[in-house]
Amino acid sequence: APGMYSGSLQIRADELGSVQTVPFQVKVWNFKLPQQNSLPTAVGRRYDTPAFLALAGNGQPPTGQLAEEWRQYLTGERDDGALSDDCRKLAEIMKRCEAEFLACRLPDSRIFNPDVIAETVLTAGSDDLCLFTVTAETDLDVRIAQLRQLVPALDQDDRYNRTYVFLDRSAPPDSAAKLKAAFPKLRLMSQTAVNHPAPPEVELSVTPLQDFLRLSSPIQAENTDSTWYSVARRPLPPGANWLLETPPAGTRLLTGLLAVKLKAGGFFHRPLLQWGNMVNDQFVPWRQPISGGPEIPPEQFGTTEFSADGFLLYPGVNGPLPSIRLKLVRDGLEDYEYQQLLYAVLRQAREGKIRLTKAQIAQLESLGAINDSLVKDATDYDRTGKQLMQLRSDIGDLLNEIGSNPKIQW
């Protein structure tokens, strides 16, 4: 039931001389956030990389028949009941990683997977699902033949509008045209930049955050829903990013109010679980999980220049360890949903579908206009997080006040 609840936590640890009691309060509002994100996301995770397989496989990645068995499992060709003991251990760790990501509103879009997804994955998947990724190494004729087998499932419930094929920057120049010629209804996504425009066949454009406002392409100008932004090592802190040195408010804003402010069509990030270090421009995967704390050893921060880029989970001795930044990403996605609920109520009030007081409408309009003092762009924002927390509280209180109206369509 809505209201304010109080309680306390008791903390015991070898390092503490006595039990520590921490009081807390929880405010419960009378509305719910939608389970599926309103902001489309494509946040990759690869469970076939040397970094993941070495740590999940006790220091040694699978080879030979075991490697092929694992590939079949990842593509959906093999189910849990047909796994060997070694692959079952990998699957269990993968599922625990996915549970952590899903708990923080990061669904698996299958982005960066080189193989065409299985029909079981397609029919069970959520929106914004990547069918496969095209790179310089992709045999596109083979992938087109495999994709033809998915056409009946794609035609069902018009799944073309909820899926896409991702074109990596290394994809051959004619890839988009060949895919469109074979599948006219297929949506294509491509990374772009100021000096790297998307092919004309591409519907979904992904551009680096620092280039997002500088692009003047027709896609950006006419349909912001089709233009997503991405981060990958840039912008450097204190710019909004997922790096260790990024202020917590910047990490949270990235998938929240910054996306609202910039009217981003979606958010994109390269694969997570990049458990390794750059040594002499070569990626060297970790071979041992994190076994101590409270601080992670400097040699396990990640790449030397970009601390923990691609690290939202860490490999622990007993399984994946979520980072504080992962929780901030969840908070940001929830901030986005609060704004969407606010806009939905305001829209219904303006259309006369629900009756609100003038004061309530004015407050909705005020809260919906995100002030530049809170966030203006990727580097100009309130780094204390105080305005961010206050806005969340104010929106929640207002929606709670009017949430009992039975005519509201959440």
Side-chain angles (χ1 to χ4, degrees):
M4 185 72 75
Y5 296 83
S6 300
S8 63
L9 295 174
Q10 290 188 330
I11 301 175
R12 296 177 175 85
D14 294 339
E15 294 84 357
L16 298 175
S18 60
V19 176
Q20 302 294 305
T21 300
V22 180
F24 68 89
Q25 287 186 319
V26 176
K27 180 186 288 187
V28 178
W29 288 311
N30 64 356
F31 60 91
K32 294 182 180 180
L33 298 182
Q35 291 186 343
Q36 185 166 315
N37 295 326
S38 300
L39 177 70
T41 59
V43 179
R45 45 267 212 179
R46 292 285 299 274
Y47 293 105
D48 60 351
T49 62
F52 173 78
L53 294 173
L55 285 159
N58 298 321
Q60 296 296 327
T63 57
Q65 180 59 36
L66 187 60
E68 175 59 18
E69 181 184 340
W70 183 242
R71 186 199 68 79
Q72 292 175 358
Y73 180 73
L74 292 179
T75 58
E77 301 169 53
R78 185 186 291 257
D79 60 24
D80 289 81
L83 291 180
S84 63
D85 289 343
D86 287 336
C87 269
R88 192 171 290 111
K89 292 177 182 177
L90 292 175
E92 178 60 30
I93 295 177
M94 183 188 78
K95 290 177 182 178
R96 291 178 64 183
C97 290
E98 280 304 301
E100 295 288 353
F101 287 132
L102 290 174
C104 291
R105 304 184 70 95
L106 287 180
D108 185 6
S109 64
R110 299 286 173 142
I111 193 77
F112 293 109
N113 284 338
D115 297 301
V116 176
I117 63 174
E119 183 175 344
T120 54
V121 176
L122 173 63
T123 54
S126 60
D127 290 353
D128 302 305
L129 193 65
C130 180
L131 298 172
F132 70 96
T133 292
V134 182
T135 68
E137 290 76 33
T138 301
D139 187 331
L140 196 55
D141 292 333
V142 171
R143 294 292 179 264
I144 288 175
Q146 293 171 336
L147 196 57
R148 290 190 194 281
Q149 300 178 24
L150 287 181
V151 167
L154 286 168
D155 286 334
Q156 183 180 353
D157 299 326
D158 196 18
R159 287 194 175 95
Y160 287 101
N161 289 329
R162 292 178 283 158
T163 57
Y164 58 88
V165 170
F166 178 65
L167 304 177
D168 183 77
R169 285 187 178 178
S170 66
D174 62 344
S175 300
K178 289 182 67 174
L179 283 165
K180 276 295 187 180
F183 309 96
K185 296 170 62 177
L186 189 67
R187 291 198 308 169
L188 302 179
M189 173 188 282
S190 176
Q191 289 179 288
T192 67
V194 171
N195 58 352
H196 185 85
E201 298 87 357
V202 168
E203 289 89 354
L204 300 175
S205 175
V206 178
T207 184
L209 178 55
Q210 59 268 31
D211 289 345
F212 186 83
L213 293 178
R214 291 188 289 164
L215 282 177
S216 57
S217 68
I219 290 179
Q220 172 72 7
E222 296 176 8
N223 189 356
T224 55
D225 289 343
S226 297
T227 308
W228 300 21
Y229 65 60
S230 66
V231 292
R233 303 182 178 180
R234 297 289 191 275
L236 290 175
N241 210 320
W242 287 357
L243 306 179
L244 273 180
E245 299 87 351
T246 302
T251 299
R252 178 169 170 173
L253 286 166
L254 191 60
T255 51
L257 299 186
L258 181 62
V260 177
K261 184 87 171 184
L262 300 182
K263 296 181 173 60
F267 175 77
F268 175 99
H269 196 281
R270 69 189 187 88
L272 306 177
L273 308 174
Q274 299 295 306
W275 294 334
N277 296 75
M278 294 299 291
V279 178
N280 298 324
D281 294 328
Q282 296 293 321
F283 181 80
V284 179
W286 297 348
R287 297 293 178 181
Q288 298 295 325
I290 295 170
S291 58
E295 295 183 354
I296 298 170
E299 63 270 16
Q300 289 192 321
F301 273 173
T303 55
T304 54
E305 183 183 359
F306 311 102
S307 297
D309 184 36
F311 292 61
L312 290 185
L313 285 180
Y314 288 90
V317 174
N318 298 314
L321 303 173
S323 64
I324 294 175
R325 288 170 297 131
L326 179 57
K327 308 300 183 182
L328 291 168
V329 172
R330 174 203 61 198
D331 291 345
L333 289 165
E334 289 180 346
D335 290 336
Y336 193 96
E337 298 304 329
Y338 274 79
Q339 286 289 330
Q340 300 313 304
L341 290 179
L342 183 150
Y343 294 151
V345 172
L346 182 58
R347 184 167 54 252
Q348 292 172 62
R350 288 171 172 169
E351 294 173 353
K353 295 179 180 179
I354 58 175
R355 300 191 67 175
L356 301 178
T357 67
K358 290 183 178 180
Q360 289 173 331
I361 293 176
Q363 192 174 1
L364 284 169
E365 292 173 339
S366 176
L367 295 174
I370 302 171
N371 295 326
D372 285 352
S373 61
L374 193 165
V375 56
K376 184 177 181 180
D377 54 39
T379 57
D380 189 353
Y381 60 89
D382 173 26
R383 293 168 195 168
T384 69
K386 292 181 179 179
Q387 292 188 66
L388 183 58
M389 296 296 291
Q390 187 62 53
L391 181 60
R392 162 81 77 99
S393 179
D394 291 343
I395 292 176
D397 285 341
L398 180 59
L399 293 180
N400 184 72
E401 176 186 322
I402 62 180
S404 58
N405 189 326
K407 293 186 177 180
I408 293 178
Q409 298 296 317
W410 294 107

